[in-house]
Amino acid sequence: MQNKTLVLLILLSLVFSCKQDLSLTKIEGKQIPITDSIVADSDIDNFIKPYRESLEKDMNKVLSYAPETYHKNDGEYNTAIGNLMAHIVLKEGNAIFNKRTGENIDIVLLNHGGIRAPINKGNITTETAFQVMPFENSIVVVALKGAQIDSLTHYLSQSKKAHPIEGLQLTIDKDFNITKALVDNQPIDSNKTYYVATNDYLYNGGDRMRFFKTNDTVYSLDYKIRNAMIDYFSKVDTIRTVIDNRFIQTK
């Protein structure tokens, strides 16, 4: 018995006396795809089922109707869907802005890249608004002097994109020089303050729209563009929007 104990003590002594190298020498990984072959956990599925069904019901709620499909690439300098987006921001945003300040929004400027999906012909649902505007962008209104509006119109003339606008009429020639720029059908007054509605992403310099920072005042409406879309669609049975002459190029 003593011999066995002695042997055990010797073995333990050897184990603890050995210095083990525990340094990390290699990391390996592999992709584990999630497929239909993975069996769902019934308890978890039953727990989330009522929430999933409620969400699907809300997302599939019919709000309005589109008589045709509207895509952001349908026009060169303005598009039907872009014009609709700018109109929605003006219509829904101005109600809040006017109530708070007594002033009215003069111009709306959004970004072409912010429109992430078309509005397809047929029923417009809550999900449509999430598809078109999946971002959490909120409406802000910026007070800009006429000189900054000139910078805004110059940006549009050089961007060569159909950035959504409302309240502004712009014409450029074949060399992209501005030949006409009107706000509410009037020439831009360098001494006047204009209220420009945009989103917080652009206000902070997104798409290189740096002219927004040289402003008198900025008002945050705490109102997401997506929510403005949902509110607008809920009030309008059938949307009507077209490509027009608000931003054109003469040949």
Side-chain angles (χ1 to χ4, degrees):
M1 182 69 178
Q2 291 180 346
N3 292 335
K4 290 183 178 179
T5 303
L6 180 61
V7 171
L8 179 60
L9 290 173
I10 293 173
L11 289 173
L12 289 174
S13 176
L14 289 172
V15 168
F16 287 106
S17 65
C18 294
K19 294 183 179 180
Q20 299 182 17
D21 185 6
L22 299 178
S23 60
L24 183 65
T25 59
K26 187 178 182 181
I27 298 177
E28 291 184 341
K30 66 177 181 178
Q31 186 178 35
I32 303 176
I34 298 176
T35 66
D36 293 339
S37 63
I38 298 177
V39 179
D41 187 302
S42 58
D43 291 336
I44 295 177
D45 191 60
N46 290 334
F47 178 78
I48 66 174
K49 181 179 179 181
Y51 301 99
R52 181 175 62 244
E53 291 177 346
S54 177
L55 178 61
E56 289 175 350
K57 181 179 179 181
D58 289 341
M59 294 296 284
N60 293 326
K61 182 180 179 182
V62 176
L63 306 176
S64 187
Y65 180 80
E68 55 186 290
T69 295
Y70 304 106
H71 196 281
K72 73 175 184 179
N73 295 323
D74 290 342
E76 188 173 10
Y77 290 103
N78 75 92
T79 65
I81 190 173
N83 295 346
L84 175 65
M85 294 286 290
H87 177 70
I88 289 173
V89 170
L90 179 65
K91 183 77 173 177
E92 302 299 321
N94 193 62
I96 298 172
F97 181 66
N98 178 261
K99 185 176 181 179
R100 293 182 185 177
T101 66
E103 303 288 349
N104 291 301
I105 295 171
D106 297 295
I107 301 170
V108 175
L109 171 59
L110 304 175
N111 57 318
H112 180 260
I115 303 172
R116 307 302 288 186
I119 295 178
N120 294 315
K121 180 179 180 179
N123 290 333
I124 296 174
T125 64
T126 303
E127 185 178 14
T128 305
F130 276 82
Q131 291 171 341
V132 175
M133 179 54 63
F135 310 113
E136 298 299 304
N137 295 140
S138 296
I139 301 171
V140 298
V141 180
V142 188
L144 295 179
K145 291 293 188 183
Q148 279 71 55
I149 300 299
D150 288 340
S151 297
L152 184 156
T153 57
H154 177 74
Y155 172 90
L156 289 173
S157 70
Q158 300 302 307
S159 68
K160 304 177 180 64
K161 290 184 179 179
H163 292 301
I165 60 174
E166 177 94 341
L168 175 67
Q169 188 173 352
L170 191 64
T171 302
I172 57 177
D173 63 21
K174 61 182 179 63
D175 297 317
F176 304 98
N177 299 308
I178 297 172
T179 58
K180 181 169 70 174
L182 304 176
V183 177
D184 193 24
N185 293 318
Q186 298 296 321
I188 297 170
D189 184 344
S190 60
N191 296 314
K192 182 178 178 179
T193 296
Y194 296 90
Y195 295 99
V196 183
T198 187
N199 63 54
D200 49 357
Y201 166 73
L202 298 180
Y203 171 72
N204 288 311
D207 278 12
R208 299 183 179 181
M209 295 190 187
R210 300 187 181 95
F211 45 81
F212 280 124
K213 284 298 184 179
T214 54
N215 66 83
D216 290 342
T217 313
V218 60
Y219 305 85
S220 176
L221 302 189
D222 298 318
Y223 191 26
K224 290 182 173 56
I225 293 179
R226 182 174 59 240
N227 291 345
M229 294 174 63
I230 293 171
D231 291 341
Y232 180 84
F233 292 146
S234 298
K235 300 171 187 175
V236 179
D237 178 76
T238 303
I239 61 172
R240 304 289 182 186
T241 182
V242 296
I243 299 171
D244 56 26
N245 65 346
R246 69 186 63 193
F247 185 9
I248 60 173
Q249 183 180 37
T250 56
K251 305 300 181 182

